[in-house]
Amino acid sequence: MVLNYECVRDVLLYLEAQDYFIPTDSGVVEYCPVCIEQICSDLPDYGESDVFYTLFNLGQAGYIDTTMLDSDNGIMDIRVNYITFQGHEFLSKIKDNGHWSSVKKGLSVVRDCSLSAIGAIAQGITGALIDSYIKAKR
């Protein structure tokens, strides 16, 4: 199965907008993971298999923390507990629409749509922008 990098970005943007820890009136913070059904419902442009595969890979990469509920025939449910610090760092590099457009162009040139390639291209773009800014300020 091919990892859909548009789905990766949209899922991370969606997850970033969620409230995982909600304070109650009594001062206790309740923990509220996000289930795959809710993600699929709120991101109807992607099929459940694309969302599942994205969550599975983001979890393996350490970008999100998940809980998988097993059934006799496989995985019954995935719950996203939160985005990790590493996941927030990755998302910050692809969040901006202009950066994302440049990353996609780079992906088409290198023909590598892996998470590490996305991160490397995004890091290169960020580095080039920082260098340009520093040179302009001199």
Side-chain angles (χ1 to χ4, degrees), residues 99-110:
H99 289 171
W100 181 239
S101 178
S102 297
V103 168
K104 290 192 303 184
K105 287 176 188 171
L107 291 172
S108 69
V109 170
V110 298

Side-chain angles (χ1 to χ4, degrees), residues 5-13 94-97 100:
Y5 57 85
E6 290 287 353
C7 186
V8 166
R9 180 174 183 257
D10 287 345
V11 165
L12 282 172
L13 288 170
I94 62 172
K95 189 175 190 175
D96 178 79
N97 288 333
W100 181 239

Side-chain angles (χ1 to χ4, degrees), residues 23-59:
T24 64
D25 292 337
S26 62
V28 175
V29 176
E30 289 185 354
Y31 175 64
C32 301
V34 180
C35 296
I36 189 172
E37 289 85 13
Q38 187 62 46
I39 298 167
C40 290
S41 174
D42 291 341
L43 296 175
D45 291 342
Y46 304 105
E48 188 172 350
S49 60
D50 274 334
V51 173
F52 172 85
Y53 197 62
T54 295
L55 293 174
F56 186 77
N57 279 276
L58 289 172

Side-chain angles (χ1 to χ4, degrees), residues 66-85:
T66 61
T67 301
M68 294 192 194
L69 305 174
D70 296 328
S71 72
D72 292 338
N73 297 331
I75 297 172
M76 182 174 68
D77 191 17
I78 296 180
R79 295 181 183 167
V80 178
N81 301 317
Y82 52 86
I83 299 176
T84 64
F85 178 77

